[in-house]
Amino acid sequence: MRNKLLLLLTTQGTVYFGIALFAPLYAIYVEQIGGEFITAGLAIAVFSAVTGTATIFMGRIASFLPHPKYLAVAGWFLLGVGFLGYLLVQKPIHLFLVQVLIGLATATYFPPVEAMYSRWITRERDVFEWSWWDATEYWSGAAGALAGGIIVTFFGFPALFVTMATLAFLAAFVLFILLNE
Protein backbone atom coordinates (compact mmCIF):
# COMPACT_ATOMS: atom_id res chain seq x y z
CA MET A 1 0.00 0.00 0.00
CA ARG A 2 1.38 3.40 -0.94
CA ASN A 3 2.47 5.94 1.68
CA LYS A 4 -0.29 8.44 0.86
CA LEU A 5 -2.91 5.75 1.28
CA LEU A 6 -1.45 4.61 4.59
CA LEU A 7 -1.28 8.17 5.90
CA LEU A 8 -4.88 8.82 4.87
CA LEU A 9 -5.96 5.60 6.59
CA THR A 10 -4.02 6.62 9.69
CA THR A 11 -5.52 10.10 9.86
CA GLN A 12 -9.02 8.79 9.19
CA GLY A 13 -8.46 6.11 11.84
CA THR A 14 -7.34 8.81 14.27
CA VAL A 15 -10.56 10.74 13.67
CA TYR A 16 -12.70 7.62 14.07
CA PHE A 17 -10.83 6.74 17.26
CA GLY A 18 -11.61 10.22 18.60
CA ILE A 19 -15.28 9.91 17.71
CA ALA A 20 -15.50 6.42 19.21
CA LEU A 21 -14.09 7.67 22.52
CA PHE A 22 -17.46 9.27 23.20
CA ALA A 23 -19.88 6.86 21.52
CA PRO A 24 -20.57 4.43 24.38
CA LEU A 25 -20.80 7.26 26.92
CA TYR A 26 -23.09 9.59 25.02
CA ALA A 27 -26.35 8.82 26.83
CA ILE A 28 -24.65 9.14 30.22
CA TYR A 29 -23.31 12.56 29.23
CA VAL A 30 -26.74 13.68 28.00
CA GLU A 31 -28.24 12.70 31.35
CA GLN A 32 -25.57 14.73 33.16
CA ILE A 33 -26.56 17.89 31.28
CA GLY A 34 -30.22 17.43 32.17
CA GLY A 35 -31.36 15.48 29.15
CA GLU A 36 -33.16 12.20 28.91
CA PHE A 37 -32.75 9.25 26.58
CA ILE A 38 -35.04 10.93 24.05
CA THR A 39 -32.71 13.94 24.17
CA ALA A 40 -29.80 11.69 23.25
CA GLY A 41 -31.81 10.23 20.38
CA LEU A 42 -32.84 13.68 19.17
CA ALA A 43 -29.26 14.96 19.35
CA ILE A 44 -28.02 12.08 17.19
CA ALA A 45 -30.95 12.66 14.81
CA VAL A 46 -29.96 16.35 14.51
CA PHE A 47 -26.35 15.36 13.80
CA SER A 48 -27.37 12.77 11.20
CA ALA A 49 -29.88 15.03 9.43
CA VAL A 50 -27.41 17.91 9.25
CA THR A 51 -24.58 15.64 8.11
CA GLY A 52 -26.66 13.90 5.46
CA THR A 53 -28.07 17.11 4.02
CA ALA A 54 -24.86 19.13 4.20
CA THR A 55 -22.79 16.29 2.68
CA ILE A 56 -24.67 16.68 -0.59
CA PHE A 57 -24.07 20.43 -0.62
CA MET A 58 -20.41 20.11 0.38
CA GLY A 59 -19.83 17.47 -2.27
CA ARG A 60 -21.31 19.81 -4.85
CA ILE A 61 -19.22 22.75 -3.63
CA ALA A 62 -16.08 20.60 -3.53
CA SER A 63 -16.63 19.61 -7.16
CA PHE A 64 -16.12 23.23 -8.19
CA LEU A 65 -13.08 23.98 -6.05
CA PRO A 66 -9.56 23.79 -7.48
CA HIS A 67 -8.28 21.98 -4.34
CA PRO A 68 -11.24 20.26 -2.64
CA LYS A 69 -8.87 18.12 -0.58
CA TYR A 70 -8.29 21.10 1.70
CA LEU A 71 -11.94 20.86 2.72
CA ALA A 72 -10.96 17.66 4.52
CA VAL A 73 -8.39 19.57 6.54
CA ALA A 74 -10.94 22.29 7.31
CA GLY A 75 -13.55 19.68 8.23
CA TRP A 76 -11.27 17.87 10.66
CA PHE A 77 -10.21 21.17 12.20
CA LEU A 78 -13.87 22.21 12.55
CA LEU A 79 -14.59 18.80 14.07
CA GLY A 80 -11.99 19.54 16.76
CA VAL A 81 -13.68 22.87 17.46
CA GLY A 82 -17.00 21.05 17.72
CA PHE A 83 -15.55 18.55 20.19
CA LEU A 84 -14.35 21.46 22.33
CA GLY A 85 -17.89 22.79 22.11
CA TYR A 86 -19.00 19.92 24.35
CA LEU A 87 -17.09 21.66 27.16
CA LEU A 88 -19.57 24.55 26.96
CA VAL A 89 -22.75 22.47 26.93
CA GLN A 90 -24.96 23.09 29.96
CA LYS A 91 -28.41 22.33 28.55
CA PRO A 92 -29.81 20.10 25.81
CA ILE A 93 -30.26 23.08 23.45
CA HIS A 94 -26.52 23.72 23.66
CA LEU A 95 -25.94 20.07 22.79
CA PHE A 96 -28.13 20.39 19.69
CA LEU A 97 -26.09 23.40 18.54
CA VAL A 98 -22.84 21.47 19.02
CA GLN A 99 -24.33 18.57 17.07
CA VAL A 100 -25.13 20.94 14.19
CA LEU A 101 -21.51 22.15 14.19
CA ILE A 102 -20.15 18.60 14.29
CA GLY A 103 -22.57 17.58 11.54
CA LEU A 104 -21.34 20.43 9.33
CA ALA A 105 -17.74 19.48 10.08
CA THR A 106 -18.39 15.86 9.17
CA ALA A 107 -20.12 16.88 5.94
CA THR A 108 -17.13 19.06 5.11
CA TYR A 109 -14.52 16.33 5.42
CA PHE A 110 -16.41 13.25 4.19
CA PRO A 111 -16.65 13.88 0.43
CA PRO A 112 -13.04 14.97 -0.15
CA VAL A 113 -11.54 12.27 2.10
CA GLU A 114 -13.44 9.51 0.38
CA ALA A 115 -12.66 11.01 -3.04
CA MET A 116 -8.94 11.09 -2.22
CA TYR A 117 -9.05 7.50 -1.03
CA SER A 118 -10.86 6.45 -4.19
CA ARG A 119 -8.25 8.15 -6.37
CA TRP A 120 -5.28 6.77 -4.47
CA ILE A 121 -6.26 3.10 -4.36
CA THR A 122 -4.88 0.67 -6.91
CA ARG A 123 -7.50 -0.36 -9.45
CA GLU A 124 -6.40 -4.01 -9.39
CA ARG A 125 -6.61 -4.11 -5.58
CA ASP A 126 -9.56 -1.78 -5.02
CA VAL A 127 -11.73 -4.24 -3.07
CA PHE A 128 -8.83 -5.20 -0.81
CA GLU A 129 -7.86 -1.58 -0.22
CA TRP A 130 -11.47 -0.60 0.57
CA SER A 131 -11.51 -3.46 3.08
CA TRP A 132 -8.66 -1.69 4.87
CA TRP A 133 -10.80 1.47 5.03
CA ASP A 134 -13.64 -0.42 6.70
CA ALA A 135 -11.33 -2.40 8.99
CA THR A 136 -9.66 0.83 10.11
CA GLU A 137 -13.05 2.24 11.12
CA TYR A 138 -13.90 -0.82 13.21
CA TRP A 139 -10.48 -1.20 14.82
CA SER A 140 -10.38 2.50 15.64
CA GLY A 141 -13.92 2.27 16.98
CA ALA A 142 -13.08 -0.67 19.23
CA ALA A 143 -9.96 0.96 20.65
CA GLY A 144 -11.68 4.33 20.99
CA ALA A 145 -14.69 2.94 22.84
CA LEU A 146 -12.46 1.19 25.34
CA ALA A 147 -10.15 4.19 25.77
CA GLY A 148 -13.12 6.54 26.16
CA GLY A 149 -14.47 4.53 29.07
CA ILE A 150 -11.05 4.56 30.72
CA ILE A 151 -10.56 8.31 30.19
CA VAL A 152 -13.97 9.25 31.60
CA THR A 153 -13.60 6.86 34.53
CA PHE A 154 -10.29 8.34 35.64
CA PHE A 155 -10.33 11.91 34.31
CA GLY A 156 -13.94 12.87 33.48
CA PHE A 157 -15.72 14.18 30.42
CA PRO A 158 -13.68 17.39 30.02
CA ALA A 159 -10.50 15.35 29.52
CA LEU A 160 -12.34 13.20 26.99
CA PHE A 161 -13.46 16.21 24.95
CA VAL A 162 -9.99 17.73 24.94
CA THR A 163 -8.56 14.39 23.82
CA MET A 164 -11.14 14.12 21.02
CA ALA A 165 -10.37 17.65 19.84
CA THR A 166 -6.62 17.07 19.99
CA LEU A 167 -6.95 13.98 17.80
CA ALA A 168 -9.06 15.86 15.23
CA PHE A 169 -6.57 18.77 15.16
CA LEU A 170 -3.68 16.30 14.83
CA ALA A 171 -5.37 14.53 11.92
CA ALA A 172 -6.01 17.87 10.21
CA PHE A 173 -2.36 18.88 10.65
CA VAL A 174 -0.99 15.57 9.34
CA LEU A 175 -3.34 15.64 6.35
CA PHE A 176 -2.32 19.23 5.59
CA ILE A 177 1.34 18.18 5.59
CA LEU A 178 0.54 15.14 3.42
CA LEU A 179 -1.31 17.27 0.88
CA ASN A 180 1.57 19.71 0.62
CA GLU A 181 4.27 17.13 -0.14
Side-chain angles (χ1 to χ4, degrees), residues 38-135:
I38 195 161
T39 309
L42 182 56
I44 296 297
V46 166
F47 162 79
S48 296
V50 168
T51 302
T53 304
T55 296
I56 294 168
F57 290 107
M58 292 309 295
R60 181 84 170 142
I61 290 168
S63 296
F64 292 106
L65 295 176
H67 301 289
K69 55 194 175 193
Y70 290 108
L71 279 178
V73 174
W76 282 346
F77 182 82
L78 189 58
L79 189 65
V81 172
F83 290 157
L84 290 176
Y86 284 126
L87 294 169
L88 305 174
V89 171
Q90 295 177 354
K91 298 177 185 177
I93 188 67
H94 303 147
L95 176 63
F96 299 146
L97 294 173
V98 169
Q99 291 299 95
V100 167
L101 177 60
I102 292 173
L104 291 172
T106 302
T108 301
Y109 81 77
F110 246 39
V113 166
E114 291 189 349
M116 281 186 285
Y117 195 80
S118 293
R119 283 188 198 111
W120 293 347
I121 60 175
T122 307
R123 175 177 262 173
E124 298 79 30
R125 297 170 41 119
D126 60 344
V127 175
F128 176 67
E129 289 178 352
W130 273 111
S131 72
W132 275 98
W133 180 267
D134 293 331

Side-chain angles (χ1 to χ4, degrees), residues 69-70 72-73 116 120 174-181:
K69 55 194 175 193
Y70 290 108
V73 174
M116 281 186 285
W120 293 347
V174 169
L175 184 60
F176 182 78
I177 298 299
L178 169 68
L179 294 175
N180 286 305
E181 285 186 340

Side-chain angles (χ1 to χ4, degrees), residues 1-77:
M1 211 176 276
R2 293 179 310 275
N3 287 343
K4 277 187 171 182
L5 211 54
L6 285 173
L7 280 171
L8 188 58
L9 278 172
T10 302
T11 54
Q12 180 69 356
T14 300
V15 170
Y16 276 122
F17 178 87
I19 292 167
L21 287 169
F22 193 27
L25 309 165
Y26 195 77
I28 296 167
Y29 171 74
V30 170
E31 265 192 326
Q32 287 186 359
I33 61 158
E36 299 175 7
F37 293 125
I38 195 161
T39 309
L42 182 56
I44 296 297
V46 166
F47 162 79
S48 296
V50 168
T51 302
T53 304
T55 296
I56 294 168
F57 290 107
M58 292 309 295
R60 181 84 170 142
I61 290 168
S63 296
F64 292 106
L65 295 176
H67 301 289
K69 55 194 175 193
Y70 290 108
L71 279 178
V73 174
W76 282 346
F77 182 82

